[in-house]
């Protein structure tokens, strides 16, 4: 076994290695020039602390179609601060979602509610105090469609672009703050990337909010659409989370049931109009014609034709031979003519 080192052994060795101070007669050697450091270690990417602890729960009710499922998955992909949960039963009340968000440690929620397997509603809520907003989702297009040619880094932070109308009306201002808190990725989030390469745009046209996602191309700062895209038709804004007093109700909103009912009524009205036109035409055809009195001036220019003498034929006419071939018929006619000439001669 190696002998144990004494405490003073290390210091003694160092003392031996240390050179003695040079005397006055000895020349001091020049120090070697140290080459400059060409490579330096970069600082860590995230130098800050994750303070904005926003977590968004994104899930849906039972009965959604494939397009809604893909849209929900796209939002989860684009939002690294989101969480998922199993589908909620349609028989449960909506205020149960507040308890689900509390169990998942989420303070924001995006809930997709399907009705009649054809209508899709979206709830945006600040749980558990509120407020919350209910929208009708229309014209849904997902990331997987071929028309979306853009691309962005997974987990990158987006820029949020809003229409100027959001700052003019109070209910749109409330929705703007709700969109900012839900869709913006918190700074220094563990799952996010420190890059900004796409833009979420919220524009208002035809009393609806149009959502688009664009990629920022570095070369010329142009925009290419990534997806998803959808249109939100505002229904109501509630004071509480998934309920409570109504703060705003959209007067321009028309339910899908009423829209389908108006379409059926318009089709029925066109059919009824065609039937009425047919009945009027039948009545006109069956109606008695009005007799017009004779005009005496119509006979002024009529001239009577000459009466031809009536000839009574006593001899039966000769039967003409039925000949299908025209050449034979001509030969027969020539023979008859020759006979006539002979008798006359």
């Amino acid at each position: 076994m190696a002998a144990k080192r004494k405490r003073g052994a290390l210091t003694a060795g160092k003392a031996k290695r240390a050179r003695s101070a040079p005397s006055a007669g000895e020349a001091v050697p020049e120090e070697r020039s140290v080459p400059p450091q060409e490579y330096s270690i970069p600082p860590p990417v995230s130098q800050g602390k994750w303070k904005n602890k926003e977590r968004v729960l994104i899930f849906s009710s039972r009965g959604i179609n494939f397009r809604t499922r893909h849209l929900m998955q796209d939002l989860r992909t684009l939002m690294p601060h989101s969480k998922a949960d199993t589908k909620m039963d349609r028989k449960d009340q909506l205020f149960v979602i507040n308890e689900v968000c509390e169990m998942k440690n989420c303070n924001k929620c995006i809930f997709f509610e399907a009705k009649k397997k054809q209508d899709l509603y979206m709830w945006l809520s600040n749980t558990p105090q509120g407020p919350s907003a209910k929208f009708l989702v229309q014209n849904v297009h997902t990331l997987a469609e071929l028309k979306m040619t853009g691309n962005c880094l997974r987990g990158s932070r987006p820029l949020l672009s809003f229409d100027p109308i959001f700052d003019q009306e109070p209910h749109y201002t409330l929705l703007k703050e709700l969109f900012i808190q839900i869709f913006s990725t918190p700074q220094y989030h563990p799952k996010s990337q420190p890059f900004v390469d796409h833009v979420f745009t919220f524009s208002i046209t035809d009393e609806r909010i149009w959502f688009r996602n664009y990629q920022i191309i570095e070369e010329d700062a142009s925009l290419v659409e990534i997806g998803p895209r959808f249109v939100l038709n505002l229904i109501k804004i509630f004071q509480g989370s998934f309920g409570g007093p109504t703060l705003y109700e959209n007067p321009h909103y028309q339910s899908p049931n009423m829209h389908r009912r108006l379409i059926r009524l318009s089709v029925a009205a066109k059919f009824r109009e065609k039937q009425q036109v047919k009945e009027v035409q039948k009545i006109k055809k069956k109606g008695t014609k009005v007799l017009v009195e004779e005009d005496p001036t119509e006979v002024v220019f009529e001239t009577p034709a000459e009466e031809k003498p009536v000839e009574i034929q006593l001899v039966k006419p000769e039967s003409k031979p039925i000949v299908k071939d025209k050449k034979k018929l001509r030969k027969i006619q020539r023979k008859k003519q020759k006979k006539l000439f002979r008798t006359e001669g």
Side-chain angles (χ1 to χ4, degrees):
M1 294 177 66
K4 292 184 179 179
R5 293 182 180 178
K6 295 181 180 181
R7 289 185 178 178
L10 184 62
T11 57
K14 287 185 177 179
K16 288 180 181 179
R17 291 178 186 175
R19 293 183 178 178
S20 58
S23 59
E26 294 179 2
V28 180
E30 296 180 1
E31 294 182 1
R32 296 180 180 178
S33 60
V34 180
Q37 295 181 356
E38 297 180 358
Y39 302 101
S40 61
I41 301 173
V45 174
S46 177
Q47 295 180 348
K49 189 177 180 182
W50 179 32
K51 297 179 181 180
N52 184 16
K53 301 293 181 71
E54 294 285 353
R55 299 181 184 90
V56 184
L57 180 64
I58 303 176
F59 72 119
S60 68
S61 65
R62 297 194 180 276
I64 61 172
N65 55 9
F66 73 98
R67 192 176 290 275
T68 308
R69 187 172 65 252
H70 284 273
L71 172 64
M72 188 170 57
Q73 191 61 38
D74 293 344
L75 290 178
R76 288 173 184 168
T77 306
L78 292 172
M79 300 165 65
H81 60 293
S82 63
K83 289 188 177 182
D85 195 22
T86 57
K87 294 179 182 178
M88 195 182 76
D89 196 356
R90 284 180 289 185
K91 295 180 182 179
D92 296 339
Q93 299 295 329
L94 290 178
F95 61 82
V96 181
I97 301 175
N98 296 325
E99 300 177 5
V100 178
C101 292
E102 187 178 355
M103 288 188 293
K104 289 283 185 179
N105 196 17
C106 295
N107 51 6
K108 298 291 185 296
C109 180
I110 299 177
F111 177 67
F112 292 96
E113 185 181 7
K115 290 184 179 179
K116 294 187 176 182
K117 295 185 178 180
Q118 54 182 345
D119 301 330
L120 179 63
Y121 298 92
M122 178 193 284
W123 286 83
L124 299 180
S125 176
N126 181 21
T127 58
Q129 291 86 12
S132 59
K134 185 180 181 181
F135 301 91
L136 174 68
V137 185
Q138 298 172 329
N139 301 335
V140 177
H141 297 274
T142 59
L143 273 170
E145 296 187 9
L146 296 176
K147 64 178 74 174
M148 311 296 183
T149 57
N151 193 8
C152 69
L153 185 68
R154 185 185 180 95
S156 59
R157 300 181 65 213
L159 294 174
L160 299 184
S161 173
F162 290 93
D163 197 282
I165 304 177
F166 277 98
D167 298 326
Q168 298 175 4
E169 299 187 19
H171 62 281
Y172 283 137
T173 307
L174 177 61
L175 290 177
K176 178 182 178 181
E177 184 63 30
L178 195 61
F179 287 145
I180 290 172
Q181 294 183 13
I182 290 177
F183 287 97
S184 63
T185 303
Q187 194 176 13
Y188 306 121
H189 191 277
K191 293 183 180 179
S192 67
Q193 300 291 337
F195 303 102
V196 178
D197 59 353
H198 63 288
V199 187
F200 289 162
T201 61
F202 298 88
S203 56
I204 298 174
T205 307
D206 194 19
E207 304 296 334
R208 290 170 175 81
I209 300 172
W210 300 65
F211 175 85
R212 296 289 185 271
N213 181 20
Y214 296 100
Q215 176 196 358
I216 304 173
I217 300 176
E218 296 181 358
E219 287 78 9
D220 53 353
S222 61
L223 299 178
V224 179
E225 189 170 1
I226 303 173
R229 58 158 70 171
F230 51 87
V231 179
L232 299 176
N233 191 1
L234 178 63
I235 303 174
K236 284 183 181 181
I237 300 176
F238 300 95
Q239 185 176 353
S241 177
F242 296 97
T246 303
L247 298 179
Y248 176 78
E249 185 174 358
N250 187 8
H252 306 283
Y253 171 71
Q254 187 181 66
S255 65
N257 293 333
M258 180 61 68
H259 181 67
R260 287 190 288 265
R261 181 172 176 270
L262 292 176
I263 291 175
R264 289 196 300 269
L265 288 175
S266 64
V267 173
K270 288 181 180 179
F271 181 74
R272 253 186 268 110
E273 186 178 355
K274 287 182 179 179
Q275 292 296 326
Q276 291 176 359
V277 170
K278 287 182 180 179
E279 289 177 0
V280 170
Q281 289 177 353
K282 285 182 181 178
I283 292 170
K284 285 183 179 179
K285 288 180 181 179
K286 290 181 180 179
T288 55
K289 296 181 180 180
V290 181
L291 296 175
V292 183
E293 297 181 357
E294 293 183 359
D295 190 4
T297 58
E298 289 183 356
V299 201
V300 174
F301 297 101
E302 288 186 0
T303 54
E306 296 180 357
E307 295 183 359
K308 295 182 179 180
V310 180
E311 294 181 356
I312 299 171
Q313 191 173 2
L314 301 176
V315 183
K316 181 182 177 180
E318 294 181 358
S319 58
K320 295 181 179 179
I322 300 171
V323 182
K324 294 183 180 179
D325 195 357
K326 292 183 179 180
K327 291 183 179 179
K328 290 183 179 181
L329 182 61
R330 290 173 185 171
K331 287 180 179 179
I332 294 169
Q333 288 178 354
R334 287 172 185 170
K335 287 180 180 179
K336 287 183 179 180
Q337 288 177 359
K338 286 179 181 179
K339 286 181 181 180
L340 288 173
F341 285 126
R342 286 174 186 171
T343 52
E344 288 177 1

